[in-house]
Amino acid sequence: MIEAIAHPNVALIKYWGKYNDTLRIPATPSLSIPLLGLTTHTRVGLHQGSGDEVSIFGVRDASGRITAWLDTLRHSFGLDIPPLHVESSSNFPASSGLASSASGFAALVKGIDQLLGLELDLQAQSRLARLGSASAARSVCEGYMVLDGEGSAHESWSARRLLDWQSWPLGVCVVLCSKTHKPIPSSEGMRIGRETSPIFNDWVSANRRLFTEAVQAVEHRDFERLAWASKWSFYGMCSVMESSRPPVSYLNRASQAVIHAVATLDDKGVPAFFTCDAGPQVKCVYLPEHEQVVRSRIEQVPGVLEVRRACP
Ligand code: DP6
């Protein structure tokens, strides 16, 4: 058995909507940072039976998502992958907006690569991970990752590192606001948004401009500019969700209260901003020297279950 690890990531510029559902080609470019304190461990080996055997947190995976992805790699991408035995677990809850599928698919690609000696480069690993979950494309290595491509050309969509994390290590904490599973999988929420939201096309073009802003902000280590672009990408994604029919909502009362608390800190001049994904957990990003004030403010918010430092 080979053991591989990967960390989830949080998008500061969001991917929400696809050009192609089967190939998971995003409609928008995205930019993420890693959540290094959260880790998925995946063990991969050859399975002596006829099909793949997959367990997550010690329980046989009934969703079939990983076996379907393995079959796609075998049949549509011609990879010679024998039946596999896969065991995966993480030090954080699954399906609650903490990108467990991102770290899960990224760790699995690395494990398969090592087990079978494929020697895939990072770009190829990223592309394969993307076919499992597009955000997984950004988890194949740590750092400021950008996932971009050309239109609906599948081959062009893979992530690359814009900047390594040590060159600009920000403070990041994850605020757990619920332990229940998300009501609508992100793929489904995105599909509804693309098909029904009247602002979907505006979102796609606005987010591309925000992406360009954020890339420049990272290149210049400009926190205020990154915070601005990230905030509007989050609100843009929320607007698509809210204008979908039926509307899609992932935040709860505690998440809203945390968002308000962080926005208040920002108003007082503390360099901090928030973002959320397809779940109620809030991620807070700040300049590391302000960690104490940020944490103590968030810990006072009613309904917060835990504040976990994601980037030491
Ligand atoms: C809100 O990568 O989970 O977290 O590609 O359908 O598996 P699929 O979706 P997924 O969606 C992530 C959406 C997001 C924003 C982001 O991570 O960019």
Side-chain angles (χ1 to χ4, degrees):
M1 296 284 275
I2 293 284
E3 176 153 346
I5 67 155
H7 305 287
N9 64 79
V10 56
L12 302 186
I13 298 298
K14 306 294 184 187
Y15 138 61
W16 193 254
K18 295 183 180 71
Y19 276 127
N20 180 313
D21 291 346
T22 320
L23 291 173
R24 288 183 200 273
I25 301 178
T28 61
S30 53
L31 183 152
S32 68
I33 55 175
L35 299 174
L36 298 172
L38 311 186
T39 307
T40 295
H41 287 259
T42 299
R43 283 159 50 84
V44 198
L46 300 179
H47 181 49
Q48 302 309 329
S50 54
D52 302 305
E53 192 177 67
V54 179
S55 70
I56 299 174
F57 286 113
V59 178
R60 199 188 169 98
D61 177 36
S63 75
R65 187 167 171 190
I66 292 174
T67 47
W69 171 73
L70 287 169
D71 283 340
T72 304
L73 301 192
R74 289 179 181 115
H75 304 133
S76 306
F77 292 86
L79 288 180
D80 187 13
I81 302 175
L84 296 179
H85 176 87
V86 177
E87 294 169 13
S88 181
S89 62
S90 305
N91 66 353
F92 61 96
S95 301
S96 55
L98 286 179
S100 57
S101 58
S103 49
F105 279 105
L108 189 49
V109 168
K110 289 175 186 204
I112 293 172
D113 182 52
Q114 283 177 49
L115 180 75
L116 304 179
L118 300 176
E119 298 189 352
L120 300 168
D121 62 20
L122 275 180
Q123 215 182 359
Q125 288 183 18
S126 173
R127 208 178 291 121
L128 295 186
R130 196 204 79 226
L131 292 162
S133 184
S135 52
R138 302 183 308 241
S139 272
V140 294
C141 74
E142 295 146 19
Y144 291 81
M145 298 293 289
V146 293
L147 171 60
D148 197 6
E150 284 155 33
S152 55
H154 146 72
E155 285 295 323
S156 70
W157 281 87
S158 63
R160 71 183 164 83
R161 185 156 59 185
L162 180 65
L163 186 71
D164 67 280
W165 185 246
Q166 293 318 322
S167 297
W168 194 26
L170 298 175
V172 186
C173 68
V174 172
V175 188
L176 292 179
C177 294
S178 168
K179 284 199 169 146
T180 57
H181 282 214
K182 59 183 166 191
I184 307 171
S186 33
S187 300
E188 182 59 6
M190 285 184 207
R191 189 191 56 74
I192 299 172
R194 186 191 62 209
E195 290 175 1
T196 66
S197 168
I199 60 164
F200 186 77
N201 291 338
D202 298 324
W203 148 249
V204 171
S205 48
N207 202 50
R208 184 159 279 287
R209 291 198 294 277
L210 293 170
F211 173 77
T212 305
E213 277 286 330
V215 167
Q216 289 173 5
V218 171
E219 283 168 351
H220 293 96
R221 323 281 199 275
D222 184 339
F223 185 85
E224 203 246 312
R225 196 172 175 195
L226 182 62
W228 179 86
S230 177
K231 182 167 102 174
W232 289 108
S233 182
F234 167 71
Y235 281 131
M237 179 180 76
C238 288
S239 304
V240 173
M241 290 173 172
E242 282 163 20
S243 59
S244 298
R245 280 190 177 164
V248 180
S249 169
Y250 293 102
L251 304 181
N252 65 19
R253 216 175 258 244
S255 343
Q256 302 277 13
V258 173
I259 287 172
H260 179 71
V262 179
T264 314
L265 281 175
D266 181 34
D267 288 345
K268 287 187 183 144
V270 177
F273 65 93
F274 60 86
T275 191
C276 304
D277 290 297
Q281 327 306 358
V282 183
K283 290 89 179 187
C284 185
V285 184
Y286 44 88
L287 291 179
E289 56 272 30
H290 297 270
E291 169 154 324
Q292 206 45 49
V293 64
V294 172
R295 274 188 81 108
S296 58
R297 178 66 192 91
I298 294 171
E299 279 162 0
Q300 290 165 18
V301 174
V304 166
L305 304 175
E306 188 186 336
V307 182
R308 201 187 274 198
R309 187 195 277 161
C311 280

